Amino acid sequence: MKFAFSTLGVPGAPVRDVVRLAVEHAYDGVELRAHPEEPVHPGIGPGERAAVAEEFAAAGVEILTVAGYARAAAPGDDGPVLAELAELIRLAGDLGAPYVRVFPGGGDEQSPEEADATAARRLGAAAPEAADRGVHVLLETHDSHPRGADAARVLGPVGHKNIGALWDVMHPWLAGESPSETFPALSPHLGYIQVKDIASAEDTTPLALGTGALPLPQVAGVLRSEGWDGWLCWEYEKRWYPGAEPLEGLLAPGREYLRRLTEPPTDGPL
């Protein structure tokens, strides 16, 4: 498998520092948080996009994802959501990133059926441009659709190879869905997996991988048993928890943990 980390763990860091961290700690790629707080977002121009792509390429680090904040199932008109999706797809295409991350974002004023239909309609409308640009739009297991089963209800009707799923391991677990249930629900659509660790279901403060409550060994066991060998991306939510330990000092042991986690099991502890 290949390993990446999200810039959510190093909020506001310049591109050169992100690239340095990836190189120094032997990560294959980086998930770029595409928000105006960050140096890379849909508002930057062609020259800046080219410079970012060149800096990553020169270092041999892949830009895995443009992690956007479009909400596919959000109540309201389709127009603003489709425009946001298009901007993210174009940014990913310009950077050479294979994936765009989006959220479900359904509202309480909708029924689950309405939210599913809205998200499927919008993702289906975005699919042709995504395909033209060689980009896959991934719906994250998050907020209104936290389980694999929830995301699958949207993705099945879309039925397009450029629209898929991002498995954030925390949200299905918080919703009571086990890894052995999440994987088969998402496997026809699965782009990659976000790993993380947290203190508990009640305290989602980010922790070093392998030191918290999330069932990461079970996730890895399911992946091994199914022969899945894609990307694992560590999403350390430092941006939302300023008091959390800095990510830089955790990257090397985190990568080692992922390496051991994804190898065939041994008698020794992780």
Side-chain angles (χ1 to χ4, degrees):
M1 299 184 193
K2 290 184 175 182
F3 305 137
F5 66 88
S6 168
T7 56
L8 193 65
V10 285
V15 168
R16 64 180 178 277
D17 291 345
V18 172
V19 171
R20 174 185 58 81
L21 289 173
V23 171
E24 288 181 354
H25 301 293
Y27 282 78
D28 305 288
V30 172
E31 179 187 272
L32 293 176
R33 178 178 181 246
H35 189 279
E37 295 177 346
E38 305 295 339
V40 182
H41 56 82
I44 66 174
E48 293 170 282
R49 296 178 185 210
V52 170
E54 182 178 351
E55 189 155 5
F56 274 91
V61 178
E62 297 185 49
I63 301 176
L64 177 62
T65 312
V66 167
Y69 288 86
R71 286 165 166 74
D77 294 338
D78 287 356
V81 179
L82 292 176
E84 188 173 2
L85 285 169
E87 289 180 347
L88 292 168
I89 290 167
R90 291 169 195 146
L91 177 60
D94 290 343
L95 297 176
Y99 299 118
V100 164
R101 186 281 307 277
V102 301
F103 287 144
D108 293 339
E109 62 269 43
Q110 301 164 294
S111 69
E113 293 78 14
E114 289 171 328
D116 292 350
T118 297
R121 181 177 68 249
R122 292 169 176 167
L123 292 171
E129 183 168 8
D132 287 346
R133 293 181 176 266
V135 172
H136 295 75
V137 178
L138 303 183
L139 182 69
E140 184 173 326
T141 53
H142 197 272
D143 53 73
S144 62
H145 291 65
R147 304 173 304 159
D150 301 322
R153 293 197 315 266
V154 173
L155 298 171
V158 175
H160 194 287
K161 65 182 180 64
N162 287 79
I163 304 297
L166 171 53
W167 178 8
D168 178 325
V169 300
M170 182 176 74
H171 294 284
W173 179 78
L174 289 175
E177 187 180 68
S178 70
S180 61
E181 295 170 313
T182 305
F183 181 82
L186 294 182
S187 60
H189 318 285
L190 188 56
Y192 69 96
I193 299 166
Q194 281 180 344
V195 295
K196 61 184 69 174
D197 223 337
I198 58 173
S200 69
E202 294 74 32
D203 179 3
T204 55
T205 301
L207 299 176
L209 291 175
T211 66
L214 288 181
L216 299 179
Q218 291 93 322
V219 171
V222 169
L223 299 180
R224 285 196 306 268
S225 69
E226 297 293 337
W228 192 86
D229 62 353
W231 283 86
L232 298 182
C233 178
W234 184 8
E235 188 187 47
Y236 184 79
E237 297 186 340
K238 174 73 171 174
R239 171 62 183 85
W240 313 128
Y241 296 86
E245 187 175 349
L247 177 61
E248 182 167 359
L250 304 177
L251 281 171
R255 193 198 181 286
E256 176 61 15
Y257 178 81
L258 291 176
R259 183 191 66 77
R260 290 185 286 124
L261 190 71
T262 53
E263 289 181 344
T266 66
D267 293 333
L270 291 169

